Amino acid sequence: MDTRIYPGIDKDRYGGMTDIGRIIRDAWVFGLIPETETGIGWTYSRVEALYDQVHAQWMKHGHLASYLPPELKERHEQIYAEAVARARVQGWSVELGDDD
């Protein structure tokens, strides 16, 4: 059993430009959790449960942001644009590998 605790999207590497950060942002997009919820203190099993919910929502849209209805597509673009801007300030680059 994994007992690690997630530090929260704001304290995650490069402001959450990680798989868990993506799960949380996608949950915001789909309204599964409020945007004020950062996942701080969550166990990895809680993150996994949220992933299952997020995955089910993406299935409805072919796992493509371009297939989202206009209101969700706009929300997705806004949330991810803000995340990328914050991450770049922290030194993140799209060219960084998983180990960087």
Side-chain angles (χ1 to χ4, degrees), residues 2-40:
D2 193 343
T3 58
R4 292 178 295 165
I5 301 297
Y6 184 64
I9 198 168
D10 297 334
K11 295 196 176 39
D12 198 351
R13 194 167 33 143
Y14 298 116
M17 295 306 275
T18 62
D19 290 338
I20 294 175
R22 188 169 28 258
I23 292 166
I24 291 171
R25 281 191 298 278
D26 287 353
W28 293 343
V29 169
F30 291 116
L32 299 171
I33 58 174
E35 287 186 51
T36 55
E37 177 58 72
T38 65
I40 191 168

Side-chain angles (χ1 to χ4, degrees), residues 49-87:
L50 183 61
Y51 169 80
D52 291 341
Q53 294 176 304
V54 167
H55 182 76
Q57 292 298 313
W58 273 118
M59 282 183 63
K60 297 176 185 178
H61 306 288
H63 295 278
L64 294 171
S66 60
Y67 286 0
L68 292 171
E71 64 278 0
L72 288 179
K73 186 175 182 181
E74 181 179 319
R75 189 168 161 80
H76 181 273
E77 289 171 359
Q78 177 186 11
I79 288 170
Y80 274 84
E82 290 172 6
V84 167
R86 278 191 308 273

Side-chain angles (χ1 to χ4, degrees), residues 1-7 20 41-48:
M1 182 166 157
D2 193 343
T3 58
R4 292 178 295 165
I5 301 297
Y6 184 64
I20 294 175
W42 287 7
T43 63
Y44 281 75
S45 60
R46 171 66 180 100
V47 173
E48 210 171 298

